[in-house]
Amino acid sequence: MVTNLKDLIEKFSDEKKCIDFLVQQRWGGNPQCPYCGSDKWYSIEGGKRFKCGNNACYKKYSVTVGSIFHASNIPLTKWFPAVYIILSHKKGISSIQLGKDLGVTQKTAWFMLHRIRESLKEKGSPLLGGTVEVDETYMTRKLASDYKGYTDEQVEEIMSNPNKAKQKGKGAVMGLAQRGGDVRVTVYNEIDGKTAKQHIKDNVTPGSKVYTDSSSLYRTGLEEYSRESVNHSLVKPEWARGDVHVNTIESFWGMFKRGYYGIYHYMSFKHLQRYCDEFAYRRNTRQLKDGDRFQLSLSRIEGKLPYKILVHGNKEKDSQAKA
Ligand SMILES: [Zn+2]
């Protein structure tokens, strides 16, 4: 696989090479018609597209159909480095910078980044278990302008204190970190005790150890777990008691917030979940080499649109629009 960005650009120097790679990733080298499922196919347009070999269908399709790369005029020779770049930058990359790097407009880069983030979303993963740290934080739309002129350290200090930062309101984020496993991050408009507890129940196997801080959100109603907490708000704050601490999820917040104020400066509430998915994905694949992470993420581009939606696309869209 690719070892660095230069290697990637050389290996995927033209559209056909990118297509061949995706055909391998998506179909094991043997295209499958997305409309009728037939595995009979003809190569057309110099191997860049395919024609279904089922004579009741005969539709033409490309390997990007139904994927995050579909129906954009952006060539794969730009998509591939974009995926590699966002995944290999620990704090992410701004659309302005990516635009410059790829020679596309900031608007195009912004669109690409959000599509890539969309593909990094957690999908149907099993419940977390063992020891799970739970914590919540606040990311508001006002954040960037509020902290103009502050040093990184000052911002970090303010952010660690929700009251000081006036972070009540939109952009509440719930984080779960399984020790030795994944982090999961979910955006809520607001978090109250009921939301917090339901979130834990939806994501953590009963019987697991659940560690929290002393927040009143978790004090009662989690009897199916063995819950323990550390009290950060004492005069002499208690950060850890034996193995009871929430340092794993807090170090994730640290990285997320460094990305927030160092790179993005602004995350609208509307798109906040996608940024969470970006940071969680990078964190959960941190043991992979950049090239392996790139390859793994390309395996997630498929199936963006299930067969049904693809075929009855307009109908689905209509019913969604009415809902
Ligand atoms: Zn077909």
Side-chain angles (χ1 to χ4, degrees), residues 286-319:
R286 69 199 181 287
Q287 273 147 351
L288 296 181
K289 288 183 180 145
D290 289 343
D292 295 335
R293 189 184 297 111
F294 166 76
Q295 187 165 3
L296 178 70
S297 66
L298 283 197
S299 71
R300 301 171 71 113
I301 63 131
E302 66 169 304
K304 281 305 297 167
L305 292 171
Y307 172 69
K308 249 194 213 164
I309 295 180
L310 187 65
V311 177
H312 308 291
N314 293 334
K315 245 188 248 170
E316 293 277 335
K317 233 183 211 168
D318 288 351
S319 63

PDB file of all heavy atoms in Angstrom, residues 286-319:
ATOM      1  N   ARG A 286      -5.669   5.118  15.294  1.00  0.00           N
ATOM      2  CA  ARG A 286      -4.364   5.754  15.522  1.00  0.00           C
ATOM      3  C   ARG A 286      -3.203   4.784  15.440  1.00  0.00           C
ATOM      4  O   ARG A 286      -2.076   5.188  15.239  1.00  0.00           O
ATOM      5  CB  ARG A 286      -4.345   6.500  16.858  1.00  0.00           C
ATOM      6  CG  ARG A 286      -4.400   5.590  18.078  1.00  0.00           C
ATOM      7  CD  ARG A 286      -4.832   6.384  19.299  1.00  0.00           C
ATOM      8  NE  ARG A 286      -4.872   5.574  20.505  1.00  0.00           N
ATOM      9  CZ  ARG A 286      -5.796   4.658  20.776  1.00  0.00           C
ATOM     10  NH1 ARG A 286      -6.749   4.411  19.886  1.00  0.00           N
ATOM     11  NH2 ARG A 286      -5.779   3.981  21.892  1.00  0.00           N
ATOM     12  N   GLN A 287      -3.481   3.482  15.631  1.00  0.00           N
ATOM     13  CA  GLN A 287      -2.370   2.533  15.566  1.00  0.00           C
ATOM     14  C   GLN A 287      -2.019   2.147  14.128  1.00  0.00           C
ATOM     15  O   GLN A 287      -1.013   1.497  13.895  1.00  0.00           O
ATOM     16  CB  GLN A 287      -2.684   1.299  16.401  1.00  0.00           C
ATOM     17  CG  GLN A 287      -2.257   1.527  17.846  1.00  0.00           C
ATOM     18  CD  GLN A 287      -3.146   0.820  18.842  1.00  0.00           C
ATOM     19  OE1 GLN A 287      -4.184   0.287  18.476  1.00  0.00           O
ATOM     20  NE2 GLN A 287      -2.739   0.830  20.090  1.00  0.00           N
ATOM     21  N   LEU A 288      -2.857   2.538  13.179  1.00  0.00           N
ATOM     22  CA  LEU A 288      -2.570   2.201  11.780  1.00  0.00           C
ATOM     23  C   LEU A 288      -1.575   3.188  11.195  1.00  0.00           C
ATOM     24  O   LEU A 288      -1.531   4.353  11.584  1.00  0.00           O
ATOM     25  CB  LEU A 288      -3.854   2.264  10.941  1.00  0.00           C
ATOM     26  CG  LEU A 288      -4.976   1.276  11.266  1.00  0.00           C
ATOM     27  CD1 LEU A 288      -6.139   1.502  10.308  1.00  0.00           C
ATOM     28  CD2 LEU A 288      -4.474  -0.157  11.165  1.00  0.00           C
ATOM     29  N   LYS A 289      -0.815   2.708  10.220  1.00  0.00           N
ATOM     30  CA  LYS A 289       0.040   3.624   9.466  1.00  0.00           C
ATOM     31  C   LYS A 289      -0.853   4.444   8.543  1.00  0.00           C
ATOM     32  O   LYS A 289      -1.942   3.987   8.157  1.00  0.00           O
ATOM     33  CB  LYS A 289       1.044   2.827   8.638  1.00  0.00           C
ATOM     34  CG  LYS A 289       2.106   2.191   9.502  1.00  0.00           C
ATOM     35  CD  LYS A 289       3.131   1.460   8.640  1.00  0.00           C
ATOM     36  CE  LYS A 289       4.173   0.829   9.542  1.00  0.00           C
ATOM     37  NZ  LYS A 289       4.636  -0.446   9.005  1.00  0.00           N
ATOM     38  N   ASP A 290      -0.379   5.630   8.150  1.00  0.00           N
ATOM     39  CA  ASP A 290      -1.194   6.524   7.323  1.00  0.00           C
ATOM     40  C   ASP A 290      -1.723   5.832   6.065  1.00  0.00           C
ATOM     41  O   ASP A 290      -2.875   6.008   5.692  1.00  0.00           O
ATOM     42  CB  ASP A 290      -0.395   7.769   6.935  1.00  0.00           C
ATOM     43  CG  ASP A 290      -0.176   8.695   8.133  1.00  0.00           C
ATOM     44  OD1 ASP A 290      -0.905   8.544   9.141  1.00  0.00           O
ATOM     45  OD2 ASP A 290       0.727   9.539   8.067  1.00  0.00           O
ATOM     46  N   GLY A 291      -0.867   5.027   5.426  1.00  0.00           N
ATOM     47  CA  GLY A 291      -1.274   4.345   4.194  1.00  0.00           C
ATOM     48  C   GLY A 291      -2.376   3.317   4.450  1.00  0.00           C
ATOM     49  O   GLY A 291      -3.312   3.182   3.661  1.00  0.00           O
ATOM     50  N   ASP A 292      -2.275   2.615   5.575  1.00  0.00           N
ATOM     51  CA  ASP A 292      -3.287   1.610   5.907  1.00  0.00           C
ATOM     52  C   ASP A 292      -4.607   2.271   6.279  1.00  0.00           C
ATOM     53  O   ASP A 292      -5.684   1.790   5.941  1.00  0.00           O
ATOM     54  CB  ASP A 292      -2.812   0.728   7.071  1.00  0.00           C
ATOM     55  CG  ASP A 292      -1.596  -0.104   6.676  1.00  0.00           C
ATOM     56  OD1 ASP A 292      -1.432  -0.353   5.471  1.00  0.00           O
ATOM     57  OD2 ASP A 292      -0.811  -0.464   7.566  1.00  0.00           O
ATOM     58  N   ARG A 293      -4.505   3.384   6.979  1.00  0.00           N
ATOM     59  CA  ARG A 293      -5.710   4.113   7.352  1.00  0.00           C
ATOM     60  C   ARG A 293      -6.416   4.631   6.092  1.00  0.00           C
ATOM     61  O   ARG A 293      -7.631   4.579   5.970  1.00  0.00           O
ATOM     62  CB  ARG A 293      -5.359   5.277   8.276  1.00  0.00           C
ATOM     63  CG  ARG A 293      -6.607   5.923   8.866  1.00  0.00           C
ATOM     64  CD  ARG A 293      -6.303   7.146   9.700  1.00  0.00           C
ATOM     65  NE  ARG A 293      -5.499   6.858  10.858  1.00  0.00           N
ATOM     66  CZ  ARG A 293      -4.239   7.255  10.992  1.00  0.00           C
ATOM     67  NH1 ARG A 293      -3.656   7.955  10.052  1.00  0.00           N
ATOM     68  NH2 ARG A 293      -3.572   6.958  12.076  1.00  0.00           N
ATOM     69  N   PHE A 294      -5.617   5.073   5.136  1.00  0.00           N
ATOM     70  CA  PHE A 294      -6.162   5.552   3.863  1.00  0.00           C
ATOM     71  C   PHE A 294      -6.918   4.421   3.169  1.00  0.00           C
ATOM     72  O   PHE A 294      -8.063   4.575   2.750  1.00  0.00           O
ATOM     73  CB  PHE A 294      -5.010   6.050   2.983  1.00  0.00           C
ATOM     74  CG  PHE A 294      -5.367   6.251   1.539  1.00  0.00           C
ATOM     75  CD1 PHE A 294      -6.104   7.361   1.136  1.00  0.00           C
ATOM     76  CD2 PHE A 294      -4.975   5.331   0.575  1.00  0.00           C
ATOM     77  CE1 PHE A 294      -6.440   7.540  -0.194  1.00  0.00           C
ATOM     78  CE2 PHE A 294      -5.305   5.494  -0.754  1.00  0.00           C
ATOM     79  CZ  PHE A 294      -6.040   6.608  -1.145  1.00  0.00           C
ATOM     80  N   GLN A 295      -6.294   3.251   3.103  1.00  0.00           N
ATOM     81  CA  GLN A 295      -6.925   2.124   2.417  1.00  0.00           C
ATOM     82  C   GLN A 295      -8.209   1.693   3.127  1.00  0.00           C
ATOM     83  O   GLN A 295      -9.238   1.448   2.496  1.00  0.00           O
ATOM     84  CB  GLN A 295      -5.965   0.941   2.331  1.00  0.00           C
ATOM     85  CG  GLN A 295      -6.535  -0.180   1.469  1.00  0.00           C
ATOM     86  CD  GLN A 295      -5.489  -1.202   1.047  1.00  0.00           C
ATOM     87  OE1 GLN A 295      -4.334  -1.107   1.441  1.00  0.00           O
ATOM     88  NE2 GLN A 295      -5.899  -2.156   0.245  1.00  0.00           N
ATOM     89  N   LEU A 296      -8.146   1.639   4.445  1.00  0.00           N
ATOM     90  CA  LEU A 296      -9.322   1.259   5.227  1.00  0.00           C
ATOM     91  C   LEU A 296     -10.475   2.237   4.974  1.00  0.00           C
ATOM     92  O   LEU A 296     -11.627   1.839   4.801  1.00  0.00           O
ATOM     93  CB  LEU A 296      -8.978   1.241   6.722  1.00  0.00           C
ATOM     94  CG  LEU A 296     -10.131   0.903   7.667  1.00  0.00           C
ATOM     95  CD1 LEU A 296     -10.526  -0.566   7.520  1.00  0.00           C
ATOM     96  CD2 LEU A 296      -9.747   1.198   9.115  1.00  0.00           C
ATOM     97  N   SER A 297     -10.152   3.509   4.929  1.00  0.00           N
ATOM     98  CA  SER A 297     -11.221   4.499   4.760  1.00  0.00           C
ATOM     99  C   SER A 297     -11.832   4.404   3.365  1.00  0.00           C
ATOM    100  O   SER A 297     -13.021   4.647   3.196  1.00  0.00           O
ATOM    101  CB  SER A 297     -10.696   5.905   5.029  1.00  0.00           C
ATOM    102  OG  SER A 297      -9.768   6.243   4.038  1.00  0.00           O
ATOM    103  N   LEU A 298     -11.027   4.009   2.361  1.00  0.00           N
ATOM    104  CA  LEU A 298     -11.606   3.861   1.019  1.00  0.00           C
ATOM    105  C   LEU A 298     -12.585   2.692   0.971  1.00  0.00           C
ATOM    106  O   LEU A 298     -13.511   2.686   0.168  1.00  0.00           O
ATOM    107  CB  LEU A 298     -10.520   3.672  -0.033  1.00  0.00           C
ATOM    108  CG  LEU A 298      -9.754   4.913  -0.452  1.00  0.00           C
ATOM    109  CD1 LEU A 298      -9.026   4.670  -1.761  1.00  0.00           C
ATOM    110  CD2 LEU A 298     -10.633   6.146  -0.595  1.00  0.00           C
ATOM    111  N   SER A 299     -12.400   1.724   1.858  1.00  0.00           N
ATOM    112  CA  SER A 299     -13.340   0.608   1.866  1.00  0.00           C
ATOM    113  C   SER A 299     -14.686   1.048   2.428  1.00  0.00           C
ATOM    114  O   SER A 299     -15.672   0.339   2.325  1.00  0.00           O
ATOM    115  CB  SER A 299     -12.780  -0.562   2.670  1.00  0.00           C
ATOM    116  OG  SER A 299     -12.783  -0.242   4.044  1.00  0.00           O
ATOM    117  N   ARG A 300     -14.734   2.231   3.027  1.00  0.00           N
ATOM    118  CA  ARG A 300     -15.997   2.723   3.588  1.00  0.00           C
ATOM    119  C   ARG A 300     -16.783   3.585   2.618  1.00  0.00           C
ATOM    120  O   ARG A 300     -17.885   4.011   2.932  1.00  0.00           O
ATOM    121  CB  ARG A 300     -15.716   3.559   4.839  1.00  0.00           C
ATOM    122  CG  ARG A 300     -15.001   2.788   5.908  1.00  0.00           C
ATOM    123  CD  ARG A 300     -14.566   3.719   7.009  1.00  0.00           C
ATOM    124  NE  ARG A 300     -15.696   4.184   7.780  1.00  0.00           N
ATOM    125  CZ  ARG A 300     -15.910   3.866   9.045  1.00  0.00           C
ATOM    126  NH1 ARG A 300     -15.080   3.099   9.670  1.00  0.00           N
ATOM    127  NH2 ARG A 300     -16.951   4.323   9.693  1.00  0.00           N
ATOM    128  N   ILE A 301     -16.207   3.874   1.462  1.00  0.00           N
ATOM    129  CA  ILE A 301     -16.893   4.777   0.529  1.00  0.00           C
ATOM    130  C   ILE A 301     -18.062   4.105  -0.150  1.00  0.00           C
ATOM    131  O   ILE A 301     -18.959   4.743  -0.641  1.00  0.00           O
ATOM    132  CB  ILE A 301     -15.955   5.335  -0.562  1.00  0.00           C
ATOM    133  CG1 ILE A 301     -15.430   4.188  -1.424  1.00  0.00           C
ATOM    134  CG2 ILE A 301     -14.840   6.156   0.048  1.00  0.00           C
ATOM    135  CD1 ILE A 301     -15.563   4.437  -2.881  1.00  0.00           C
ATOM    136  N   GLU A 302     -18.039   2.784  -0.178  1.00  0.00           N
ATOM    137  CA  GLU A 302     -19.112   2.099  -0.895  1.00  0.00           C
ATOM    138  C   GLU A 302     -20.338   1.979  -0.009  1.00  0.00           C
ATOM    139  O   GLU A 302     -20.297   2.205   1.178  1.00  0.00           O
ATOM    140  CB  GLU A 302     -18.661   0.712  -1.323  1.00  0.00           C
ATOM    141  CG  GLU A 302     -18.423  -0.198  -0.151  1.00  0.00           C
ATOM    142  CD  GLU A 302     -18.228  -1.631  -0.597  1.00  0.00           C
ATOM    143  OE1 GLU A 302     -19.119  -2.138  -1.283  1.00  0.00           O
ATOM    144  OE2 GLU A 302     -17.193  -2.210  -0.263  1.00  0.00           O
ATOM    145  N   GLY A 303     -21.447   1.624  -0.675  1.00  0.00           N
ATOM    146  CA  GLY A 303     -22.664   1.396   0.094  1.00  0.00           C
ATOM    147  C   GLY A 303     -23.199   2.668   0.715  1.00  0.00           C
ATOM    148  O   GLY A 303     -23.975   2.629   1.654  1.00  0.00           O
ATOM    149  N   LYS A 304     -22.773   3.804   0.217  1.00  0.00           N
ATOM    150  CA  LYS A 304     -23.295   5.052   0.731  1.00  0.00           C
ATOM    151  C   LYS A 304     -24.790   5.112   0.483  1.00  0.00           C
ATOM    152  O   LYS A 304     -25.554   5.637   1.250  1.00  0.00           O
ATOM    153  CB  LYS A 304     -22.622   6.247   0.060  1.00  0.00           C
ATOM    154  CG  LYS A 304     -21.263   6.574   0.577  1.00  0.00           C
ATOM    155  CD  LYS A 304     -21.241   6.796   2.067  1.00  0.00           C
ATOM    156  CE  LYS A 304     -22.093   8.009   2.479  1.00  0.00           C
ATOM    157  NZ  LYS A 304     -22.301   8.016   3.927  1.00  0.00           N
ATOM    158  N   LEU A 305     -25.177   4.582  -0.631  1.00  0.00           N
ATOM    159  CA  LEU A 305     -26.591   4.537  -0.975  1.00  0.00           C
ATOM    160  C   LEU A 305     -26.958   3.091  -1.232  1.00  0.00           C
ATOM    161  O   LEU A 305     -26.443   2.481  -2.146  1.00  0.00           O
ATOM    162  CB  LEU A 305     -26.847   5.338  -2.258  1.00  0.00           C
ATOM    163  CG  LEU A 305     -26.672   6.833  -2.171  1.00  0.00           C
ATOM    164  CD1 LEU A 305     -26.732   7.429  -3.554  1.00  0.00           C
ATOM    165  CD2 LEU A 305     -27.721   7.448  -1.288  1.00  0.00           C
ATOM    166  N   PRO A 306     -27.837   2.539  -0.422  1.00  0.00           N
ATOM    167  CA  PRO A 306     -28.240   1.160  -0.676  1.00  0.00           C
ATOM    168  C   PRO A 306     -28.895   1.038  -2.044  1.00  0.00           C
ATOM    169  O   PRO A 306     -29.427   2.013  -2.573  1.00  0.00           O
ATOM    170  CB  PRO A 306     -29.242   0.866   0.438  1.00  0.00           C
ATOM    171  CG  PRO A 306     -29.115   1.963   1.415  1.00  0.00           C
ATOM    172  CD  PRO A 306     -28.480   3.124   0.724  1.00  0.00           C
ATOM    173  N   TYR A 307     -28.862  -0.167  -2.563  1.00  0.00           N
ATOM    174  CA  TYR A 307     -29.406  -0.478  -3.879  1.00  0.00           C
ATOM    175  C   TYR A 307     -30.788   0.142  -4.115  1.00  0.00           C
ATOM    176  O   TYR A 307     -31.036   0.789  -5.116  1.00  0.00           O
ATOM    177  CB  TYR A 307     -29.467  -2.002  -4.005  1.00  0.00           C
ATOM    178  CG  TYR A 307     -30.171  -2.507  -5.224  1.00  0.00           C
ATOM    179  CD1 TYR A 307     -29.616  -2.333  -6.494  1.00  0.00           C
ATOM    180  CD2 TYR A 307     -31.389  -3.157  -5.108  1.00  0.00           C
ATOM    181  CE1 TYR A 307     -30.275  -2.802  -7.604  1.00  0.00           C
ATOM    182  CE2 TYR A 307     -32.045  -3.629  -6.223  1.00  0.00           C
ATOM    183  CZ  TYR A 307     -31.501  -3.451  -7.472  1.00  0.00           C
ATOM    184  OH  TYR A 307     -32.148  -3.912  -8.567  1.00  0.00           O
ATOM    185  N   LYS A 308     -31.670  -0.034  -3.126  1.00  0.00           N
ATOM    186  CA  LYS A 308     -33.048   0.466  -3.245  1.00  0.00           C
ATOM    187  C   LYS A 308     -33.102   1.969  -3.467  1.00  0.00           C
ATOM    188  O   LYS A 308     -33.808   2.463  -4.323  1.00  0.00           O
ATOM    189  CB  LYS A 308     -33.794   0.169  -1.936  1.00  0.00           C
ATOM    190  CG  LYS A 308     -34.859  -0.877  -2.054  1.00  0.00           C
ATOM    191  CD  LYS A 308     -35.725  -0.810  -0.800  1.00  0.00           C
ATOM    192  CE  LYS A 308     -36.237  -2.173  -0.423  1.00  0.00           C
ATOM    193  NZ  LYS A 308     -36.729  -2.204   0.948  1.00  0.00           N
ATOM    194  N   ILE A 309     -32.344   2.667  -2.653  1.00  0.00           N
ATOM    195  CA  ILE A 309     -32.356   4.131  -2.752  1.00  0.00           C
ATOM    196  C   ILE A 309     -31.759   4.566  -4.082  1.00  0.00           C
ATOM    197  O   ILE A 309     -32.216   5.512  -4.709  1.00  0.00           O
ATOM    198  CB  ILE A 309     -31.584   4.763  -1.578  1.00  0.00           C
ATOM    199  CG1 ILE A 309     -32.310   4.440  -0.267  1.00  0.00           C
ATOM    200  CG2 ILE A 309     -31.435   6.264  -1.759  1.00  0.00           C
ATOM    201  CD1 ILE A 309     -31.670   5.004   0.965  1.00  0.00           C
ATOM    202  N   LEU A 310     -30.761   3.811  -4.504  1.00  0.00           N
ATOM    203  CA  LEU A 310     -30.112   4.134  -5.757  1.00  0.00           C
ATOM    204  C   LEU A 310     -31.113   4.036  -6.907  1.00  0.00           C
ATOM    205  O   LEU A 310     -31.227   4.916  -7.743  1.00  0.00           O
ATOM    206  CB  LEU A 310     -28.949   3.168  -5.975  1.00  0.00           C
ATOM    207  CG  LEU A 310     -28.039   3.434  -7.144  1.00  0.00           C
ATOM    208  CD1 LEU A 310     -27.315   4.746  -6.917  1.00  0.00           C
ATOM    209  CD2 LEU A 310     -27.038   2.309  -7.264  1.00  0.00           C
ATOM    210  N   VAL A 311     -31.858   2.946  -6.912  1.00  0.00           N
ATOM    211  CA  VAL A 311     -32.795   2.694  -7.999  1.00  0.00           C
ATOM    212  C   VAL A 311     -34.029   3.592  -7.887  1.00  0.00           C
ATOM    213  O   VAL A 311     -34.512   4.133  -8.870  1.00  0.00           O
ATOM    214  CB  VAL A 311     -33.215   1.197  -8.011  1.00  0.00           C
ATOM    215  CG1 VAL A 311     -34.251   0.951  -9.082  1.00  0.00           C
ATOM    216  CG2 VAL A 311     -31.989   0.337  -8.258  1.00  0.00           C
ATOM    217  N   HIS A 312     -34.530   3.725  -6.666  1.00  0.00           N
ATOM    218  CA  HIS A 312     -35.742   4.539  -6.485  1.00  0.00           C
ATOM    219  C   HIS A 312     -35.378   5.881  -5.863  1.00  0.00           C
ATOM    220  O   HIS A 312     -36.114   6.408  -5.040  1.00  0.00           O
ATOM    221  CB  HIS A 312     -36.746   3.807  -5.595  1.00  0.00           C
ATOM    222  CG  HIS A 312     -37.032   2.417  -6.052  1.00  0.00           C
ATOM    223  ND1 HIS A 312     -37.728   2.162  -7.210  1.00  0.00           N
ATOM    224  CD2 HIS A 312     -36.694   1.218  -5.532  1.00  0.00           C
ATOM    225  CE1 HIS A 312     -37.811   0.840  -7.377  1.00  0.00           C
ATOM    226  NE2 HIS A 312     -37.185   0.251  -6.378  1.00  0.00           N
ATOM    227  N   GLY A 313     -34.234   6.363  -6.276  1.00  0.00           N
ATOM    228  CA  GLY A 313     -33.670   7.560  -5.659  1.00  0.00           C
ATOM    229  C   GLY A 313     -34.641   8.707  -5.504  1.00  0.00           C
ATOM    230  O   GLY A 313     -34.780   9.268  -4.420  1.00  0.00           O
ATOM    231  N   ASN A 314     -35.368   9.028  -6.568  1.00  0.00           N
ATOM    232  CA  ASN A 314     -36.229  10.198  -6.517  1.00  0.00           C
ATOM    233  C   ASN A 314     -37.381  10.026  -5.545  1.00  0.00           C
ATOM    234  O   ASN A 314     -37.726  10.931  -4.808  1.00  0.00           O
ATOM    235  CB  ASN A 314     -36.766  10.532  -7.905  1.00  0.00           C
ATOM    236  CG  ASN A 314     -35.637  10.981  -8.796  1.00  0.00           C
ATOM    237  OD1 ASN A 314     -34.621  11.491  -8.305  1.00  0.00           O
ATOM    238  ND2 ASN A 314     -35.763  10.782 -10.088  1.00  0.00           N
ATOM    239  N   LYS A 315     -37.938   8.811  -5.552  1.00  0.00           N
ATOM    240  CA  LYS A 315     -39.060   8.535  -4.648  1.00  0.00           C
ATOM    241  C   LYS A 315     -38.625   8.737  -3.205  1.00  0.00           C
ATOM    242  O   LYS A 315     -39.292   9.380  -2.428  1.00  0.00           O
ATOM    243  CB  LYS A 315     -39.514   7.084  -4.840  1.00  0.00           C
ATOM    244  CG  LYS A 315     -40.929   6.985  -5.393  1.00  0.00           C
ATOM    245  CD  LYS A 315     -41.382   5.552  -5.361  1.00  0.00           C
ATOM    246  CE  LYS A 315     -41.525   4.985  -6.762  1.00  0.00           C
ATOM    247  NZ  LYS A 315     -41.727   3.546  -6.780  1.00  0.00           N
ATOM    248  N   GLU A 316     -37.445   8.158  -2.862  1.00  0.00           N
ATOM    249  CA  GLU A 316     -36.940   8.283  -1.503  1.00  0.00           C
ATOM    250  C   GLU A 316     -36.747   9.753  -1.128  1.00  0.00           C
ATOM    251  O   GLU A 316     -37.099  10.180  -0.058  1.00  0.00           O
ATOM    252  CB  GLU A 316     -35.590   7.566  -1.368  1.00  0.00           C
ATOM    253  CG  GLU A 316     -35.677   6.064  -1.512  1.00  0.00           C
ATOM    254  CD  GLU A 316     -36.087   5.372  -0.216  1.00  0.00           C
ATOM    255  OE1 GLU A 316     -35.844   5.955   0.848  1.00  0.00           O
ATOM    256  OE2 GLU A 316     -36.636   4.260  -0.292  1.00  0.00           O
ATOM    257  N   LYS A 317     -36.216  10.466  -2.084  1.00  0.00           N
ATOM    258  CA  LYS A 317     -35.934  11.876  -1.845  1.00  0.00           C
ATOM    259  C   LYS A 317     -37.229  12.630  -1.556  1.00  0.00           C
ATOM    260  O   LYS A 317     -37.319  13.429  -0.640  1.00  0.00           O
ATOM    261  CB  LYS A 317     -35.255  12.477  -3.079  1.00  0.00           C
ATOM    262  CG  LYS A 317     -33.949  13.189  -2.741  1.00  0.00           C
ATOM    263  CD  LYS A 317     -33.378  13.812  -3.989  1.00  0.00           C
ATOM    264  CE  LYS A 317     -31.864  13.849  -3.931  1.00  0.00           C
ATOM    265  NZ  LYS A 317     -31.288  14.176  -5.217  1.00  0.00           N
ATOM    266  N   ASP A 318     -38.256  12.307  -2.366  1.00  0.00           N
ATOM    267  CA  ASP A 318     -39.547  12.979  -2.200  1.00  0.00           C
ATOM    268  C   ASP A 318     -40.121  12.745  -0.817  1.00  0.00           C
ATOM    269  O   ASP A 318     -40.553  13.659  -0.147  1.00  0.00           O
ATOM    270  CB  ASP A 318     -40.555  12.468  -3.243  1.00  0.00           C
ATOM    271  CG  ASP A 318     -40.203  12.989  -4.642  1.00  0.00           C
ATOM    272  OD1 ASP A 318     -39.313  13.854  -4.689  1.00  0.00           O
ATOM    273  OD2 ASP A 318     -40.779  12.517  -5.613  1.00  0.00           O
ATOM    274  N   SER A 319     -40.083  11.436  -0.398  1.00  0.00           N
ATOM    275  CA  SER A 319     -40.711  11.134   0.887  1.00  0.00           C
ATOM    276  C   SER A 319     -39.908  11.766   2.021  1.00  0.00           C
ATOM    277  O   SER A 319     -40.460  12.168   3.031  1.00  0.00           O
ATOM    278  CB  SER A 319     -40.851   9.623   1.093  1.00  0.00           C
ATOM    279  OG  SER A 319     -39.582   9.034   1.127  1.00  0.00           O
TER     280      SER A 319
END
